[in-house]
Amino acid sequence: MNREKIASPREVVAYWCETVAPALWWQPTEELDAEVRTRFAATHLALSRAVAPEWRADAEARLAALVVLDQFPRNMYRASPLAFAADWIARREARLALEAGADRAVPREWRQFFYLPFEHSEDLADQDLSVELFTALGDETYLDYALRHREVIARYGRFPHRNAFLGRPSTPEEEAYLAEPGAGF
């Protein structure tokens, strides 16, 4: 596929929500990361520059924009500061989508993508919103992750597992946390 091709919102949803196995959303492989990078890097760059009206046209288009801005960078740029560079744009688009009721207009199993930008935030108010949204969703697994993300932000004010990627020094308390089995996300 041409790396310069900008995907449509429908192509993004068809790929991520209808083709990729949901298990790979949370346990990605190097192959998936490479495929996302090859197919969607140009789309991500385009949306990082400006979110065109077609990405806000309806609930599915808004979902696609959030996948491109919040999920794809974590695949394309894993273990890099670029994985988080568009997070602020994703949060803005998620807020606009929630105001439009877009999260309630897609299948329940896709709604988490409207809420994850807040879970990925290092702002405690965003974390509180994430917990509120995942509580309303009623999925105990997603809520558990939201609560654990919020707990880390409440404790450290940031995600310590990002420190190495972002060139931030870790405090001794953060280093102790990172040494715990299963620390980080």
Side-chain angles (χ1 to χ4, degrees), residues 141-162:
T141 300
Y142 290 143
L143 178 58
D144 177 63
Y145 276 100
L147 290 167
R148 291 192 291 138
H149 279 74
R150 187 196 178 285
E151 180 181 316
V152 170
I153 295 302
R155 184 171 176 189
Y156 302 106
R158 61 188 185 174
F159 291 117
H161 65 278
R162 293 184 185 175

Side-chain angles (χ1 to χ4, degrees), residues 40-54:
F40 299 104
T43 304
H44 177 261
L45 184 58
L47 263 69
S48 296
R49 289 181 176 141
V51 179
E54 65 262 22

